[in-house]
Each structure stands twice: as structure tokens, then as C-alpha cells.
Amino acid sequence: MLQCLYLSTRPDLLALLATVSKDHQLPPLSLLNDRQVRWIIEAGVGPLFWFASQKDSKTEDSRSCRDVKAADLTTRLINEIQLDTLSEILVRCKGLLPPITLLKGCSTGSELYPQPHLRVIRDLDLLVEPKDQSKLEAILLEMGFRQRSTNSLEFYAMHHHSMPFYHSSRDIWVEVHRGLFPASNKLAKLPVFSSRNIRAE
């Protein structure tokens, strides 16, 4: 399975994940060509690949190694800024609305990965009850976030989160969710995804 990771132009992501989860050692980074390294970085798995490569004590100081290591360091920095911002949001919300449910990367990174930055976070996904949505959005506006999207407000009226918020100086996006799925999605009707069940978890 590992061979397909290196023989194809685009490495096999499942092979990489299987290798890391089973604590296996990757072949040397020097076996990767430039296109494969570029794909790894653009796909957002550079940090994961660098993490897995550290099991090889003979990792060479090749261009491939430097590029993948640079992707890891960059992601660490971005991740730190995002988590600091998340912490600030939660502190500002304390006492003003019920506990916020963290979704996707900002939750699973610290729970399921050896190091939080290995789960690349594209944005901060925060889930609140519909009645608390405006309170959280007001706090984001006070922090300097502004809503931006190519979609209209009417689109988000039927969506499971409001128009995304963006902070220009921090380069961070936040999505305020009032559900896990749009109401029209059949998954939204399953009891396991009900707001009551989510609160219980």
C-alpha cells in the first residue's frame, strides 16, 4: 500500500493516514519528486507527513525535507493564532451565553491527533442554539470580525450556519453554526444529530 504513495503523481492520502495510525515508518522523503511534495503541501498534509518522517533518524536535509518541514512550521504558527483567537472568543462569551460546542478541526485536533496542528484548521466552526446566534455574532463584530461571502444573505437564511466572519489582521474565518446540517438535509432529521443529543454529549 505504501508504494502507491510514491509511484503516483499524487500520493495516496489513505496510505499516509494508515502509515501514521499504525505507527509505521515512511520511506525517506528523498524518494518524493517535486510534484508529489507540492501535492502533499497543497493538500494540507505536510505537517502529518513531517510528523511521520521523524521516525526516520536518517531524514536527509534535501529540498523535499526543507519544504515539508516549512509547511509544518507554518501550520504550527497559523494553528497557534487560531487557537489563541478561539480562546479569546470563549472567554468573551463566558457568562453571556451557554457553553459553545466546538466542531471539526478546533475540537478534533486536540482530541484525536498526536499534536493539534496535525489537523489543519481552515476555519473555526462554533455551534450554538439558534436563540444564542446573534449574541455570539455581536461578540465577533466587537472583536473586529466582518461577514464576507460571495453568497447572499438569503442563501444563509436557509443554511445551517450564518454568513462566515473574517478577521483581516488575524486572517481567520469563523462560522457560527445553528445546526450540523441544513434543515433540508435528511441527516438533520436523525436523532443522533439533534440539538438535545449534541448538548448531552
Side-chain angles (χ1 to χ4, degrees), residues 107-175:
S107 171
T108 61
S110 59
E111 295 175 2
L112 305 177
Y113 288 76
Q115 298 173 3
H117 79 289
L118 297 180
R119 170 49 164 98
V120 177
I121 304 174
R122 303 299 182 189
D123 54 22
L124 301 176
D125 295 276
L126 311 177
L127 175 66
V128 294
E129 290 292 324
K131 63 183 178 60
D132 295 316
Q133 178 182 338
S134 60
K135 297 177 185 176
L136 177 53
E137 292 179 344
I139 289 171
L140 293 175
L141 291 171
E142 289 173 5
M143 292 177 62
F145 283 88
R146 295 294 177 263
Q147 288 183 288
R148 285 175 47 179
S149 176
T150 56
N151 294 315
S152 66
L153 284 172
E154 290 73 23
F155 170 83
Y156 288 103
M158 303 301 294
H159 208 50
H160 58 296
H161 64 74
S162 58
M163 183 181 289
F165 288 78
Y166 178 70
H167 198 291
S168 58
S169 63
R170 304 184 197 213
D171 194 24
I172 292 178
W173 290 89
V174 174
E175 289 183 356

Side-chain angles (χ1 to χ4, degrees), residues 2 6 15 19-21 24-25 30 43 46-47 49 86 91 99 116 120 130 153 164 171 182 198:
L2 278 179
Y6 296 93
T19 301
V20 174
S21 66
H24 292 166
Q25 182 173 307
S30 57
F49 205 96
L86 174 60
V91 167
V120 177
L153 284 172
D171 194 24
I198 292 170

Side-chain angles (χ1 to χ4, degrees), residues 11-27:
D12 189 323
L13 181 56
L14 291 179
L16 171 60
L17 295 175
T19 301
V20 174
S21 66
K22 294 177 181 177
D23 202 31
H24 292 166
Q25 182 173 307
L26 288 173

Side-chain angles (χ1 to χ4, degrees), residues 57-69:
S57 59
K58 298 180 180 178
T59 298
E60 301 177 27
D61 188 27
S62 63
R63 177 181 171 184
S64 296
C65 291
R66 292 194 298 272
D67 288 348
V68 175
K69 184 178 182 180

